[in-house]
Structure formats: C-alpha cells, structure tokens
Amino acid sequence: MKQAKHPSRSFWLTLIAFTFIVNLVALGWTLSRAAEAGIVLPRSVWGVMLMLYFGILLISIWLFVRILRVGDLPFENLRLDSFFWRAFSGILFLAILFLIPYVKFTNEIGQSVKRPVYDPGMMLILYYWACWWAILAAMAALKVALKTTWQAGFAAALVLLGVTYEILLRWNAVTTYPLSMGWSEGSRYYYASLYFSRWIYGESLPLSTLHPTRYLLQSIPFLFPGPGLAAHRFWQFLLWVVLTAAAAWVLSKRVILPQEKAFRWLLAGWYFLFLLRVGVYYHLQVMVIIPLLFVSGKHPWRSLAAVVVASAWAGISRVNWFPVPAMLAIVIHLFETPLPNASGSMSLRQLSSYLSKPMGWLIAGVGAALLAQAAYIPLSGNANNLEAFASSFSSELLWYRLWPNESYSLGVVLGILIVSGPLLAILIAAFCQWKSLHALRWLGILSILLILFAGSLVVSTKIGGGGDLHNMDAYAVLIGTVAVYLVSGRIQVEEGSAPLKIRSHPIFVTALVMPMLFLIPLLSPYPTFNESRNEAAYRQLVQIVNETGKNGPVLFINERQLVALGDVNIPLVPDYEVVTLMEMAMSGNQPYLDKFYNDLSNQRFAAIIATRQNRIIKEDGPLFEENNVWNSRIAPYILCSYHSDLTVEADANRIEIYRPDLDASDCP
C-alpha cells in the first residue's frame, strides 16, 4: 500500500543512498589523503569537512529510515508555481551549469599547482563532493522551473548538464592553433584531401586504407575554396555532435510515443552522452541511423535495402562492423515482431518464416560488406598493397590491456562494465520477466550481445588500441539500443503475455549519473596559446620547407596537413605518412617497410619533417609496445641516413627537420 501511495519512494531512497555513498567515499578519501600528506585533521580546516561528512552520513541514515516508515519527505510536494520562483529557478540552474566548470578552472582542480594555498588533493575531494550537491540543486531548480516531478527534474538536470559539458569538451578542439594538435590530428585532414587529389595535388592518388568513410565525411570542406585548419576542426566538431545526436534522436523517436515528448528528448540526450563517452566515431553512426530509420516489418524490401546500404558502408569503415547493421536490424525485428502462435506449437513453416528475415539480412549484410571492401581496394588505388587491408589480422594482440594497466587505468573489461553496467542491469531486470518474450527471441538478443562483446574485446587488444573504450563501439551501440527498447515499453510481447516493464529507480539514477562521473574530471578550459610564438614557428617551418623543396622532394611524416591545405608550396610525397607508417610497422608489412628503408638508404628526400626520433626501447609505461615498434622499425632507419638539422618548437609541437647525412653510419 505504501508503494502505491508514494510511488516516488524508491527514487528518494536511491538519491539518499547515493548521497550516503558520496559522503562515505569523501570521508574515506579525506582520511587517506590526510595520512598521505601528513595533515592533522583536528587542527586543520579540513577537520570541518570531516565533521560535515559524518553529519550528512547520519542525516542520510535518518532520512532513509523515515522514508521506509512514513513513505515521503516534507518537501516532496513542494510547489513554487509563481513566475518569480520559476524564473529564479531557471537562473539558478544556469548558474550551476556555469559554476561547475568555472570553479574547477579557476581553482585549477586536478592540476599541478605551484605553491598551492590549500592541499590540492583535499581540494579535489571537496570539489567532487560539491558537484553532487550542485546536481541535486540543479534537480530542484528544474523541478520548479519546468513544473515537473522530482524524477523528471533529476533526469533533465543530468542530461542538460552532460550534453552541455560534452559539447564544450568537443569544442575545445576547435582552435586556430596552426599546427597539428596531437600526433595524428593533421593526418585526418590529409587523408580527407585525397578524395579531391586531382584538384588539390594535380594527380590521382591512392585513398586511405584505414577508416575511408571517416575521411570521406571529413573531405566535404575541401569542396569549398580555401578552408583553413580551424574550419576543418569546426567541421569535425559538427560531425561528432550532429551525427551522434541524429543517431540518438532516431532511436528515441522510433521507440518513444509522440505524446511523450519530454521522455523522448531526455532519452535521446542520455543516449547521445553514452555513445560519446564510449567513443563511437561519427562515421560509424551512419550504420546506426540507416537501419533505425528504414528497417520495418511492414516493408521487407526497404528493410533489406537499408541493411545492404549500411553494410556496404561498413565494408569500407571497420572490419569488426561488417555484421553490425544486420545485427541491429535483427534486434529491431526481435523486439517489434512477436512469434506467431508462440503460446502453442509452431509449425516448421511458421518458424522458418519468422527466422528468414534475420538470416537473410545477416547473409546479405555481411556479403554487401565484403563486396564493398573488395570493390574499394582497386578503386582506392591500393591494389598493390593488399596487406594494408589485413593489418588488423596480423598485428600483435596485447591481452593484458583488458585489465587495469598503465595505458588505461581501468582496463577495457572493467571500463566497459562500469559504463554499460546500468544497461546490463536493465537487461537482467527484463530477463527476470522472460516469459513476456519467446525463448527464441531472448536467445537471439543475448547471442548478438555476447558475440559483439567478445569481438570488441579482441579488437581492443590489438596493438595501438586498448587505451580507451572506443573499440567496444559495436557492443556499445547494441547494448544501448537494447536498453532503450526495454525501458520504452514498446516491445511487442507474445499474445497473452504481460508487457515488459522496467521501473527501477536505482538503475535509472545510476545510468544518468554515469556519464557525469567521466565528464566532470575531463572538463578543461578552452586552450590558450602563445599566438606570436606559434605563428613564428609556423612561418619558420613553412619557409624552410619551401626553400628545401627547391632541392628535391620533402617527406612530411608528420604535419602533412600543411601540404593538403596549401600552406607550403611543394609537391606532395604521398608515401609514408605517420598513421599509415605506424600501422604498417605494427602489422609487420615487410614489403612496405622494405620500400621505406630503400628510399631512406638512397636518401630520396631532400628533407624529412617528423617529430624527434630516438632508439629508446622501453620495458614499461603507457603504450610502450607502440613506442618500441616505432623505435625499432622506423626511427633507426631514419637516423641512419638522416640527421636533425633544425628544430621548430611551438606550444604543442616539437618538429625536427631531418636532412641527408653524408656520413651515414650505424645502420640497423
């Protein structure tokens, strides 16, 4: 009876439990930090925080017991409907939205601070603790401003905060910094330019063997005259945000009724955050959008065409995505189409009719992906380098990266289980109502998830991967789609079965909080640069390259966007760009490497533009295997025939100009 009278009771119990956990963690973390830093808490200002943590723990226990006994809280039915209070609450939410990053930036939370006034570790604990209270305040503000329930206010607060911070985080990459930000950023714009190579370089050049569809989408700015580096960065920002938002919206629109507009927007916002926190790249979203838009039990030929088109896109995207469009279509079919006569005995004809679509999609989808890849190889101009398309299968697998390591502190397994944990809990809660769906449907859904989970784990162990969760993308898309279907209430159950209902506040609250746990630590101010220094470094590099180019070809291993964007006036040397060179080194493509070694020994290039090369072999550290591959298969051969003649330094780059060494020695 109490549950019926107070339907929000479990929500408040969950929030109080979370508050208890937040304060318990803050308490334990504070005691640990005090012991580490030699802080005597009773004599320190941090002792006040310790008392506050204890006090809130006691209040949380009291509130928890009160709700269990009475059923509600005194402020649960709070109503402040006047224009003043609603406007004030809206302003309060905006203030919280601003203050969470502002406090972090101005106090340099989580950064190395010279001569800090307060202990940085204690400040970090206090900041994260305060963020939880800021989220609760944001919930109250939106509850009043939007005249909604506490649950809706909480969901809206987490989604709006998360989406805003995610977009700001992506916007930080849109700068006017004149050189590559990161070792491979400039590579993306170069590979995008190859789709218009005849126009840009005056000759047809081979396209990329890696991620062709990503570079196809990134090539669009080259259709317009004179886009600079900042414009390309802005376009990539739009690709991340718009395509991910489109995938999230299409899924939410498909499963949520039109009259539930608020729920539809909130679910889309949450799915947007989930995809970006895992790291599902924008070119892969195309394979999510097409099946969700066009697969339908009422339109078999349209559905088949959607699977074929999306799978063809997969064929020139990523090998582990070859079956994903078909699998996504199968999940849609399993959720939206009940078995005929499931409660009775089905005939073999009925069963084969039900399974014919999924099997046909899978065969047609994988076939389309293979055909698309086979067609792309000669069309891309790489028919003489077939090994490059199989590099994923010949690269070393580093199984230890599944577990916590120096390259990724959580490890892939723990990381993906944390991020997708609430969704797995939704799946388990639904499976407890397994009679609502035929066992065959459950078998199909669980098999797809298990296959993609295992396959994604294997891909994550490939050398060059495992430093984050982005190789778990195929699994993430499917578990996210399954979870959204399960909470939507739109699954077509078997005739006579009870509808599937997932109403668990602990799971929902955890799912909403999870993106913020990863986002807030990543928040950073918009980058600032020494513009005069960087401009001088850029101009120095351009001048050196233009002068050297008069004496012979200049190889850009790094910073090749300078050629693609026309910043330097020299012919392009299309070979040996850093991303492809690294991939060939990791996969042991000996014919490619032998050609590289031969060009170096013959001193084909008048100069090589690269980062600083060395022969240091490491035994540990982040990504030390990748370092060792480069420093054993690439760097020694450069240093054998070339020497560093000049260094150009900017804020985020140290670029070496290597010239032929007339006294070449010490060769491998």
Side-chain angles (χ1 to χ4, degrees):
M1 292 296 294
K2 284 185 179 181
Q3 186 65 24
K5 186 177 179 181
H6 304 291
S8 63
R9 184 176 73 161
S10 66
F11 170 71
W12 287 111
L13 289 174
T14 302
L15 278 197
I16 292 169
F18 264 78
T19 302
F20 182 88
I21 292 170
V22 166
N23 281 269
L24 188 63
V25 170
L27 174 63
W29 198 359
T30 297
L31 293 172
S32 175
R33 176 59 188 171
E36 178 185 347
I39 299 173
V40 182
L41 289 173
R43 301 178 183 177
S44 167
V45 67
W46 301 112
V48 177
M49 293 307 304
L50 199 67
M51 294 176 60
L52 186 59
Y53 299 149
F54 273 117
I56 294 173
L57 288 174
L58 294 175
I59 293 172
S60 297
I61 295 171
W62 176 77
L63 287 173
F64 200 90
V65 173
R66 173 191 167 90
I67 293 176
L68 287 175
R69 294 180 59 186
V70 179
D72 63 355
L73 291 171
F75 55 81
E76 184 175 355
N77 298 317
L78 175 70
R79 295 184 65 86
L80 299 170
D81 295 340
S82 68
F83 174 79
F84 170 79
W85 283 111
R86 293 184 66 192
F88 174 79
S89 298
I91 294 171
L92 175 61
F93 174 78
L94 293 176
I96 294 168
L97 183 73
F98 170 77
L99 283 172
I100 288 177
Y102 177 78
V103 170
K104 187 172 191 280
F105 302 160
T106 54
N107 292 283
E108 300 180 283
I109 303 295
Q111 301 178 34
S112 296
V113 182
K114 295 181 179 179
R115 298 179 182 178
V117 177
Y118 296 103
D119 180 77
M122 290 296 194
M123 286 292 292
L124 184 68
I125 299 167
L126 177 61
Y127 172 73
Y128 288 141
W129 175 83
C131 283
W132 174 247
W133 292 103
I135 289 169
L136 295 182
M139 169 189 70
L142 288 184
K143 183 256 189 287
V144 173
L146 303 177
K147 296 177 65 176
T148 187
T149 63
W150 288 101
Q151 296 96 315
F154 183 79
L158 266 297
V159 169
L160 287 174
L161 289 171
V163 168
T164 302
Y165 296 154
E166 185 68 64
I167 291 174
L168 288 176
L169 197 62
R170 302 282 166 180
W171 179 254
N172 280 359
V174 184
T175 73
T176 57
Y177 183 72
L179 299 171
S180 180
M181 298 175 66
W183 79 279
S184 67
E185 191 215 9
S187 309
R188 302 168 205 150
Y189 311 126
Y190 162 68
Y191 286 116
S193 74
L194 294 177
Y195 284 94
F196 304 102
S197 61
R198 182 167 291 279
W199 178 18
I200 297 171
Y201 305 111
E203 59 179 319
S204 293
L205 297 171
L207 301 176
S208 173
T209 60
L210 301 168
H211 317 300
T213 56
R214 178 182 185 182
Y215 302 132
L216 175 62
L217 292 175
Q218 287 194 269
S219 71
I220 293 175
F222 285 103
L223 290 170
F224 304 93
L229 189 54
H232 283 275
R233 286 170 175 155
F234 178 68
W235 176 246
Q236 183 174 234
F237 163 78
L238 289 180
L239 289 174
W240 274 113
V241 173
V242 174
L243 285 178
T244 307
W249 175 249
V250 168
L251 174 60
S252 184
K253 189 174 184 294
R254 184 180 184 107
V255 301
I256 305 301
L257 293 171
Q259 56 267 33
E260 298 179 303
K261 290 183 179 179
F263 186 34
R264 178 182 285 181
W265 281 106
L266 288 174
L267 199 60
W270 171 84
Y271 193 59
F272 172 84
L273 292 172
F274 173 72
L275 292 178
L276 288 179
R277 282 301 87 222
V278 172
V280 182
Y281 278 80
Y282 41 82
H283 63 297
L284 305 177
Q285 304 294 357
V286 174
M287 292 172 274
V288 181
I289 295 169
I290 292 175
L292 288 173
L293 273 179
F294 299 112
V295 169
S296 170
K298 298 178 182 179
H299 304 282
W301 291 110
R302 188 184 78 183
S303 301
L304 178 62
V307 170
V308 168
V309 171
S311 298
W313 186 270
I316 51 175
S317 296
R318 295 192 69 182
V319 66
N320 61 307
W321 272 71
F322 281 16
V324 172
M327 287 180 166
L328 184 55
I330 292 170
V331 166
I332 293 170
H333 175 72
L334 292 173
F335 277 142
E336 296 186 357
T337 308
L339 269 79
N341 195 27
S343 57
S345 58
M346 283 186 294
S347 67
L348 184 60
R349 183 177 179 180
Q350 288 175 316
L351 184 60
S352 62
S353 175
Y354 185 83
L355 294 177
S356 61
K357 285 181 182 177
M359 292 306 297
W361 291 338
L362 189 60
I363 294 170
V366 174
L370 291 170
L371 286 173
Q373 185 189 55
Y376 177 78
I377 292 173
L379 290 173
S380 68
N382 291 287
N384 60 344
N385 189 18
L386 294 177
E387 296 91 342
F389 292 91
S391 62
S392 298
F393 300 101
S394 56
S395 298
E396 183 182 1
L397 299 181
L398 307 173
W399 294 101
Y400 78 89
R401 290 191 180 175
L402 295 179
W403 319 112
N405 60 87
E406 290 183 277
S407 299
Y408 183 37
S409 59
L410 289 175
V412 175
V413 171
L414 180 59
I416 194 60
L417 289 179
I418 291 174
V419 172
S420 67
L423 313 188
L424 292 172
I426 289 172
L427 180 62
I428 293 170
F431 192 69
C432 291
Q433 308 170 48
W434 65 271
K435 291 184 179 179
S436 294
L437 298 182
H438 192 276
L440 185 64
R441 298 169 75 183
W442 280 119
L443 179 62
I445 292 162
L446 295 176
S447 297
I448 287 172
L449 289 174
L450 185 60
I451 290 169
L452 291 180
F453 183 77
S456 298
L457 286 180
V458 173
V459 175
S460 296
T461 65
K462 175 185 172 294
I463 185 171
D468 53 30
L469 296 177
H470 84 272
N471 285 317
M472 297 298 298
D473 46 17
Y475 160 75
V477 164
L478 265 294
I479 188 63
T481 302
V482 166
V484 168
Y485 262 99
L486 291 173
V487 301
S488 71
R490 294 290 304 281
I491 296 174
Q492 298 297 312
V493 299
E494 263 64 57
E495 184 178 356
S497 299
L500 267 172
K501 292 183 179 179
I502 311 297
R503 297 289 185 269
S504 174
H505 284 114
I507 295 175
F508 294 160
V509 169
T510 305
L512 288 164
V513 169
M514 193 60 66
M516 292 295 286
L517 288 179
F518 291 89
L519 266 174
I520 291 178
L522 292 174
L523 286 175
S524 59
Y526 188 76
T528 56
F529 300 102
N530 186 329
E531 292 187 11
S532 59
R533 178 196 185 201
N534 295 332
E535 184 65 21
Y538 163 76
R539 292 190 179 281
Q540 181 187 12
L541 180 59
V542 168
Q543 182 180 0
I544 291 169
V545 169
N546 286 338
E547 288 295 323
T548 306
K550 298 174 183 177
N551 302 322
V554 177
L555 171 63
F556 276 85
I557 292 180
N558 297 89
E559 303 294 337
R560 195 169 291 195
Q561 80 283 353
L562 295 177
V563 186
L565 300 178
D567 294 349
V568 293
N569 186 26
I570 62 168
L572 170 69
V573 177
D575 304 310
Y576 316 130
E577 199 280 331
V578 63
V579 170
T580 298
L581 192 56
M582 183 64 178
E583 185 69 18
M584 297 305 101
M586 291 191 300
S587 62
N589 188 331
Q590 203 58 47
Y592 184 96
L593 294 175
D594 287 341
K595 183 175 180 292
F596 177 58
Y597 301 156
N598 186 61
D599 284 342
L600 291 176
S601 63
N602 292 330
Q603 297 185 343
R604 171 189 168 192
F605 313 111
I608 297 175
I609 310 303
T611 56
R612 187 173 186 180
Q613 306 295 302
N614 63 74
R615 298 183 176 91
I616 297 173
I617 300 299
K618 300 180 179 180
E619 295 185 0
D620 53 25
L623 304 176
F624 76 92
E625 288 93 348
E626 288 82 351
N627 168 84
N628 293 347
V629 165
W630 186 274
N631 286 355
S632 60
R633 296 180 180 175
I634 304 298
Y637 296 88
I638 296 174
L639 295 173
C640 164
S641 301
Y642 288 79
H643 69 278
S644 177
D645 182 65
L646 187 66
T647 301
V648 176
E649 292 194 61
D651 282 358
N653 304 75
R654 180 174 177 173
I655 304 161
E656 303 283 343
I657 292 87
Y658 289 91
R659 298 189 189 276
D661 191 342
L662 300 179
D663 299 317
S665 60
D666 193 21
C667 293

